[in-house]
Amino acid sequence: MKKAASTTLLLVVMLILNSTVLAQDKALTVDDYDRWSRIVGAEISNNGDWMAYGLRPNGGDDTLHVISLRSSSEHIIPLAQNVSFSDDSKWAAYTVAVDEETRKKMNESGDEIYSQAELLNLETGEKYSVERSAKMEFSEDGSYWAVHREMPESDKSKHEGRDLIVRNLQDGTVTNIGNVSEFAFNKKSTMLAYLVDASEKEGNGIYLKNLNTNALTSLDTDTLSYTNLSWDDENTHRTKWNDKGTGLAVLKETAIDSLSHPKTELLVYRNLDTNLNRSLLNPDSQSSFPDNMVISANRDLSWSTNGELIFLGFREQEPEIKMDKDTVANVDVFHWKDDRIQTVQERQATRDLQYTYVASFNPKNSTFARLTNEEMRALNFSDHNRYMIGRDEKPYMDDINWGVSPADLYRVNLQNGEWTLFAKNIKRTNGYSPDGRYYLYQKIAEQDTMLYVYDVEQNTNTNLSEAAPVLFTNTDHIYPHESPTFGIAGWTKDGESVILNHKYDLWMLALDGSQAQNITKGLGEQEKIIFRYETLDEDEEYINTSNKLLLSAFGEWSKKDGFYKLNIGDSPKPLIYEDASFGNVEKARDANRIILTRQTFVEFPDYYQTNSEFNDLEKITDANPQQEEYAWGERVLVDYENSRGIKLQGTLTLPANYEPGKKYPMIVYFYEKMSDRHHQYSMPVYDDRPHMSTYASNGYLVFMPDIDFEFGRPGTSSLDCITSATQKVIDLGYADPDQLGLQGHSWGGYQSSFILTQTDMFATVVTGAPPTNLTSFYNNIYGSTGTNHHGIMEIGQVRMGRNVTPWSNLEAYQRENPMFHAPDIETPFMILHGTDDGAVDWMQGLEFYNAARRLNKEVVLLSYPGEGHHLGIEANQIDFQLRMKEWFDHYVKDMPAAEWITDGIPYIEKRYNKAE
């Protein structure tokens, strides 16, 4: 009996072990994708005790998790999202939506869909809900929670006012304020201002509630409309909140039937907590206000940092013209003198119709100053109280301005509107110092690229580059136009220097141009580690160089990632630096607790908690435990060279249960530089790309190589790099040379289409949303923006070179043109394209299909009606994932072909047309 029992037990154990092994070896398929979830909207409370995040499953509804980082306490709220914590970390607020199935039914029936705002007491778990939430927010001190409600569906009135629910979180009392159109707490949480817009306009006005005394004050009441409520502390640094929050600006509008825009006044209130002072800007009585102009509500009101000026928008008044469309011709006049092509004007029509010029108003002396006009339309705002920088782009407007925006730069006096030109034809800028005194920009002079800093107070330009032994422009920039800098790390607290990024290291440059110091001591250059400054203080304005600095660190060739610490004067020292990728770093404002993600190809980017020394990372989320059931691959780096001897790299995904020495089928997926994704988790999601996890789970290698482009030779450069990289993987013994597939989308679609015409190395090619005819593509329109393709063709992603056009260099266009080489195609291929693609016109895909069909090539076009540059409808995404896998399985793995591959699908047999 004992022997029989032990034998039975042994069999049971063996069965369990075998089933576990089999479960772990399960191949991943599209049918399994709905088991995977993403983490969205992660937040940490100010005291570091709580973290909130959403779990969003593929094709499913969000679930909010609010977890204690000090205990096992957890709150799970289905259908919740958009979470925020109160300042005192005692409360969490979020919205609760209806589930997707209900949403679909309500959309079909035309019912209004509302969200519910909910407040959670983190200690007790008690909840308080408000239906029909449009907007919610805490006061900055965490004492109040306000919810602005939507109008009920039954209310057909046209006024803008709705209920505002204000809950006192100290005593639980609730106030319902009716007919509120706008509301805002001041930053120090002593007052709540709101505007009323009621039915029949009765009671309309500006109201102020003192949150300490509950006293209510009506600042102005009328039967007119009030908009654009603005506190004087809206953009003020936290340290200055107590000195602000006593000024309020509002627009007051009078609609006139014969005019397009209402007549508007600006009301300004100062010293709200002591001796109230009221000022008025009425354009009709302001002599300096431009004729036939009105104040516009299309630009938000804002205050200068010292509270002396209010910035507002104004625009030309226009008569209201009523026309019958049946009597007016519908014609767009494309003119050669247009500064923007008509298609661009069409896409930007709403922006143009709402455009406003900028002015300042001083309520103390009631002076008005115009700051921009038709020549200089853009003003870059800063914290400086006397001067800001204006941009005049008009002299340089051109279809070829891809990736750059040339402009003449002016200092603008905020008090009187006076302009002072200080730099011409500037293509790249790096912005202001935090106080707005200094402005950093790049200028090419005598073939040298120099960095200048402009002092708005002294009206002086200083060359910062002269003192540095290095150039701060990225000479490896991949496009044939003015190269950018590597970026700015920040401005020093002593006001004397700016810290700039170089390729690897950080440099501190004196603002007077006297010296330049490599503060990372050249360690980045030496070890090929890219160092960048990382701040954990969301309120930080300046870099305090007397403190220890935190640096992110990324190994250019090792792909290691992590963080270093730096004391100025010493070399950087590692805190954590390993074979993984870190991201989403956030520190609790009032505690030494940090949350961040860590990921590898095998490990989902779950969240971990640690401290500012990055000691003892503790995992706090486990979003996808089901992954353990599936066969998964791993990644290795592959170094290779192209035919020009340029060193390149790629990341190779090995199939699950990889056996050294065995040759595997391989898919090559690429775009430009892909090796930096070496530690990127391959999330199974519904989209239009091959997922490395799925293909590796099903016995494929997936290779993502880098490409180095030679200007004027985009296709041949890609061909060189891709074939060199693929041959290297073959030579290393990984890939079966007879089982290779290639896939690229968009720009990768162009490259894969070109490679298709040049080599038979690949058994098949799948090309998505591809530009296929460079000659016609040159004059196509980018549908999403209306711009033509001249810029992207010459100095942008296609890189043909400035002024290299189909007329000036037809040979180059033909050499790099997939369509021109279509007769040379020897490989079966498949095209994916959406008919409403706003980046690459659908006709490009159709043109390539028609050419290949006419030439009797083996081609299939998967055309998805109504879809854009990437598939957005889940059913279509799943369909393409399945068809792409079936296509590769057949042509790469020699598996039996699906019927649609051999026979196609007649239009009348299309399942979608038969569905109800």
Side-chain angles (χ1 to χ4, degrees):
M1 290 290 293
K2 287 185 178 180
K3 183 177 180 180
S6 59
T7 302
T8 303
L9 179 60
L10 179 61
L11 288 171
V12 171
V13 170
M14 290 178 66
L15 286 171
I16 292 173
L17 289 173
N18 287 334
S19 63
T20 302
V21 170
L22 289 172
Q24 290 175 336
D25 287 337
K26 185 163 57 175
L28 179 64
T29 70
V30 175
D31 291 338
D32 301 307
Y33 284 16
D34 61 2
R35 300 188 67 189
W36 260 259
S37 296
R38 299 191 302 278
I39 295 177
V40 296
E43 297 285 342
I44 187 170
S45 63
N46 288 337
N47 66 1
D49 287 355
W50 295 90
M51 176 189 171
Y53 64 94
L55 272 187
R56 179 173 296 168
N58 288 329
D61 299 305
D62 285 10
T63 298
L64 179 65
H65 294 251
V66 184
I67 61 174
S68 171
L69 299 179
R70 294 188 182 276
S71 69
S72 59
S73 177
E74 180 176 13
H75 305 280
I76 300 175
I77 307 100
L79 303 173
Q81 55 191 349
N82 304 320
V83 67
S84 60
F85 289 106
S86 61
D87 184 81
D88 58 10
S89 304
K90 294 180 179 179
W91 307 84
Y94 45 85
T95 57
V96 180
V98 298
D99 63 84
E100 188 61 31
E101 185 176 345
T102 303
R103 179 178 293 274
K104 287 180 180 178
K105 291 179 180 178
M106 293 179 71
N107 279 329
E108 290 171 359
S109 61
D111 293 334
E112 194 73 28
I113 301 173
Y114 300 107
S115 293
Q116 173 181 295
E118 195 161 87
L119 182 69
L120 170 67
N121 186 314
L122 294 172
E123 294 302 323
T124 67
E126 182 183 3
K127 297 174 183 176
Y128 171 76
S129 301
V130 178
E131 300 292 337
R132 303 195 319 274
S133 167
K135 173 188 175 183
M136 67 173 181
E137 66 179 49
F138 287 107
S139 61
E140 288 293 345
D141 69 350
S143 296
Y144 292 87
W145 182 59
V147 180
H148 203 187
R149 304 181 72 186
E150 298 275 11
M151 284 185 181
E153 190 173 7
S154 58
D155 189 339
K156 304 301 181 183
S157 56
K158 297 185 181 300
H159 65 92
E160 296 295 324
R162 294 158 286 153
D163 287 347
L164 177 68
I165 310 299
V166 182
R167 185 178 182 90
N168 186 324
L169 300 180
Q170 308 301 313
D171 59 21
T173 57
V174 177
T175 303
N176 187 340
I177 307 171
N179 295 316
V180 174
S181 57
E182 297 180 32
F183 76 97
F185 294 101
N186 63 354
K187 295 295 184 182
K188 58 188 176 185
S189 305
T190 58
M191 287 182 274
L192 169 67
Y194 60 91
L195 306 180
V196 166
D197 189 67
S199 179
E200 309 300 327
K201 306 299 181 184
E202 293 296 334
N204 279 15
I206 314 165
Y207 295 85
L208 188 69
K209 182 179 179 66
N210 187 311
L211 297 176
N212 294 324
T213 66
N214 282 327
L216 184 64
T217 304
S218 58
L219 299 177
D220 192 82
T221 58
D222 208 324
T223 55
L224 303 178
S225 296
Y226 297 81
T227 66
N228 288 47
L229 182 69
S230 175
W231 280 105
D232 64 348
D233 59 4
E234 190 170 343
N235 298 308
T236 302
H237 192 265
R238 183 183 301 275
T239 58
K240 301 173 183 174
W241 284 357
N242 284 334
D243 301 326
K244 294 292 188 67
T246 61
L248 202 60
V250 180
L251 297 181
K252 183 177 180 180
E253 299 179 346
T254 304
I256 299 176
D257 290 340
S258 61
L259 298 176
S260 294
H261 311 295
K263 296 185 67 175
T264 305
E265 298 175 331
L266 170 64
L267 304 179
V268 182
Y269 299 90
R270 293 174 293 127
N271 303 324
L272 289 169
D273 57 344
T274 53
N275 299 315
L276 178 63
N277 182 285
R278 182 181 186 272
S279 302
L280 172 69
L281 171 60
N282 184 342
D284 292 338
S285 58
Q286 184 78 26
S287 60
S288 57
F289 201 94
D291 293 338
N292 199 38
M293 294 278 192
V294 291
I295 299 172
S296 174
N298 290 335
R299 176 180 289 276
D300 291 339
L301 300 174
S302 60
W303 295 68
S304 61
T305 54
N306 61 6
E308 293 182 1
L309 298 175
I310 292 91
F311 301 106
L312 63 147
F314 66 100
R315 63 172 302 149
E316 186 174 358
Q317 180 62 280
E318 298 170 314
E320 183 69 28
I321 300 176
K322 299 187 183 298
M323 292 181 289
D324 185 345
K325 282 191 174 183
D326 293 337
T327 65
V328 180
N330 184 8
V331 58
D332 299 314
V333 179
F334 286 69
H335 197 279
W336 78 89
K337 290 183 179 179
D338 287 343
D339 58 4
R340 294 168 296 157
I341 190 171
Q342 282 281 317
T343 47
V344 172
Q345 295 181 47
E346 179 186 356
R347 301 301 186 279
Q348 297 179 354
T350 300
R351 187 199 72 175
D352 291 343
L353 287 169
Q354 295 180 350
Y355 174 79
T356 62
Y357 302 107
V358 183
S360 67
F361 176 66
N362 188 327
K364 284 186 178 179
N365 54 26
S366 295
T367 55
F368 171 91
R370 178 172 187 165
L371 305 180
T372 66
N373 64 16
E374 186 59 32
E375 295 300 316
M376 190 187 72
R377 294 167 62 92
L379 183 68
N380 290 351
F381 277 78
S382 77
D383 281 354
H384 204 273
N385 291 305
R386 291 177 57 199
Y387 302 107
M388 292 181 190
I389 306 300
R391 295 173 52 86
D392 179 11
E393 300 178 1
K394 205 160 189 177
Y396 311 105
M397 294 189 73
D398 193 302
D399 290 341
I400 312 300
N401 287 342
W402 190 91
V404 293
S405 300
D408 294 336
L409 303 181
Y410 291 83
R411 180 183 74 171
V412 180
N413 187 309
L414 303 178
Q415 296 284 351
N416 58 27
E418 180 182 75
W419 299 357
T420 303
L421 177 67
F422 68 88
K424 291 181 69 67
N425 194 14
I426 302 303
K427 296 183 176 67
R428 297 196 181 275
T429 61
N430 291 87
Y432 291 104
S433 59
D435 60 1
R437 175 173 176 176
Y438 298 103
Y439 191 76
L440 194 64
Y441 66 95
Q442 178 177 303
K443 184 174 179 63
I444 293 181
E446 299 177 357
Q447 305 307 311
D448 287 331
T449 304
M450 294 177 279
L451 280 178
Y452 282 87
V453 66
Y454 176 65
D455 185 334
V456 302
E457 294 181 2
Q458 301 299 321
N459 188 29
T460 56
N461 289 287
T462 301
N463 185 345
L464 298 185
S465 303
E466 284 184 328
V470 295
L471 286 175
F472 291 96
T473 48
N474 182 0
T475 56
D476 295 329
H477 184 57
I478 56 179
Y479 301 127
H481 55 73
E482 184 173 323
S483 297
T485 66
F486 292 98
I488 181 172
W491 305 75
T492 61
K493 189 175 181 179
D494 59 15
E496 296 180 357
S497 303
V498 61
I499 299 178
L500 300 178
N501 301 325
H502 198 248
K503 184 173 182 178
Y504 302 107
D505 291 296
L506 299 179
W507 287 73
M508 186 160 61
L509 279 65
L511 295 178
D512 62 5
S514 62
Q515 60 179 338
Q517 176 188 359
N518 186 331
I519 62 173
T520 46
K521 298 292 185 180
L523 182 66
E525 176 77 35
Q526 177 184 332
E527 301 290 337
K528 297 299 181 280
I529 298 174
I530 299 169
F531 287 121
R532 295 295 181 257
Y533 176 70
E534 185 94 17
T535 181
L536 298 178
D537 182 359
E538 64 181 22
D539 296 319
E540 180 181 89
E541 291 185 291
Y542 293 93
I543 298 175
N544 188 343
T545 54
S546 63
N547 292 342
K548 178 181 68 178
L549 307 186
L550 178 65
L551 307 179
S552 65
F554 177 73
E556 181 183 27
W557 297 99
S558 70
K559 310 306 177 189
K560 286 186 176 183
D561 193 24
F563 301 93
Y564 277 59
K565 62 181 176 181
L566 172 66
N567 291 308
I568 302 293
D570 298 330
S571 291
K573 300 293 189 296
L575 295 170
I576 184 171
Y577 187 61
E578 56 187 49
D579 284 313
S581 178
F582 297 96
N584 302 317
V585 184
E586 185 180 356
K587 179 184 175 297
R589 194 184 74 199
D590 304 323
N592 187 15
R593 178 165 283 160
I594 291 170
I595 58 172
L596 75 166
T597 58
R598 182 188 184 280
Q599 67 176 313
T600 67
F601 175 73
V602 179
E603 300 169 277
F604 175 84
D606 275 301
Y607 271 86
Y608 294 74
Q609 65 170 320
T610 183
N611 54 35
S612 57
E613 293 295 317
F614 292 84
N615 295 329
D616 303 322
L617 264 66
E618 178 188 346
K619 190 175 180 181
I620 49 178
T621 67
D622 189 12
N624 292 292
Q626 77 287 343
Q627 181 183 318
E628 294 182 357
E629 302 173 20
Y630 295 86
W632 213 264
E634 57 181 311
R635 278 191 178 144
V636 295
L637 288 168
V638 175
D639 295 321
Y640 62 97
E641 291 184 355
N642 64 10
S643 66
R644 292 182 286 146
I646 295 175
K647 181 182 176 183
L648 296 165
Q649 202 171 40
T651 178
L652 177 66
T653 304
L654 303 180
N657 305 313
Y658 169 73
E659 299 175 22
K662 181 179 177 180
K663 297 182 187 300
Y664 289 87
M666 181 170 76
I667 305 299
V668 180
Y669 173 69
F670 66 104
Y671 191 79
E672 290 196 358
K673 187 167 185 179
M674 306 290 281
S675 66
D676 287 352
R677 304 185 186 187
H678 181 62
H679 289 303
Q680 184 182 67
Y681 181 78
S682 180
M683 177 77 178
V685 292
Y686 306 130
D687 61 11
D688 48 28
R689 300 167 179 83
H691 299 133
M692 291 66 194
S693 52
T694 302
Y695 282 85
S697 187
N698 286 270
Y700 284 89
L701 297 161
V702 186
F703 188 38
M704 297 192 296
D706 294 339
I707 300 173
D708 181 83
F709 290 96
E710 187 179 0
F711 295 159
R713 308 181 74 90
T716 50
S717 297
S718 179
L719 172 69
D720 177 14
C721 294
I722 293 299
T723 54
S724 297
T726 303
Q727 189 61 51
K728 182 67 174 182
V729 179
I730 294 171
D731 294 343
L732 290 172
Y734 290 109
D736 184 336
D738 297 324
Q739 292 187 306
L740 303 174
L742 185 74
Q743 205 274 349
H745 190 94
S746 188
W747 176 233
Y750 158 73
Q751 296 171 76
S752 55
S753 298
F754 181 82
I755 293 169
L756 167 72
T757 69
Q758 301 295 306
T759 179
D760 60 0
M761 173 179 271
F762 299 96
T764 190
V765 172
V766 176
T767 181
T772 60
N773 186 342
L774 293 190
T775 306
S776 62
F777 189 71
Y778 182 87
N779 289 307
N780 277 174
I781 294 296
Y782 195 94
S784 298
T785 62
T787 54
N788 60 42
H789 286 150
H790 297 171
I792 195 173
M793 288 293 298
E794 294 184 29
I795 66 172
Q797 198 164 37
V798 185
R799 303 167 171 87
M800 292 304 291
R802 186 176 290 277
N803 298 323
V804 178
T805 71
W807 310 282
S808 68
N809 201 331
L810 180 60
E811 183 277 330
Y813 274 80
Q814 289 178 339
R815 183 190 67 231
E816 305 298 317
N817 194 342
M819 188 66 68
F820 187 75
H821 301 290
D824 300 326
I825 296 172
E826 300 294 339
T827 302
F829 70 106
M830 182 168 71
I831 306 168
L832 155 70
H833 221 141
T835 62
D836 288 358
D837 193 327
V840 179
D841 194 283
W842 176 75
M843 290 300 296
Q844 289 282 309
L846 181 64
E847 190 176 347
F848 204 40
Y849 164 78
N850 278 334
R853 174 184 166 90
R854 178 67 180 84
L855 293 165
N856 202 31
K857 306 299 181 181
E858 198 169 338
V859 60
V860 167
L861 167 63
L862 297 181
S863 177
Y864 290 88
E867 286 281 21
H869 193 53
H870 288 285
L871 300 180
I873 299 171
E874 185 178 301
N876 292 340
Q877 293 170 334
I878 294 173
D879 179 81
F880 179 68
Q881 288 290 334
L882 292 170
R883 293 187 193 279
M884 179 168 57
K885 179 69 165 43
E886 289 172 342
W887 184 272
F888 280 133
D889 282 348
H890 173 60
Y891 285 104
V892 176
K893 280 189 169 183
D894 298 321
M895 293 173 63
E899 186 176 350
W900 67 270
I901 294 177
T902 57
D903 301 334
I905 300 175
Y907 186 79
I908 61 172
E909 296 299 320
K910 181 177 171 181
R911 293 180 65 206
Y912 183 86
N913 293 340
K914 298 180 178 182
E916 294 183 0

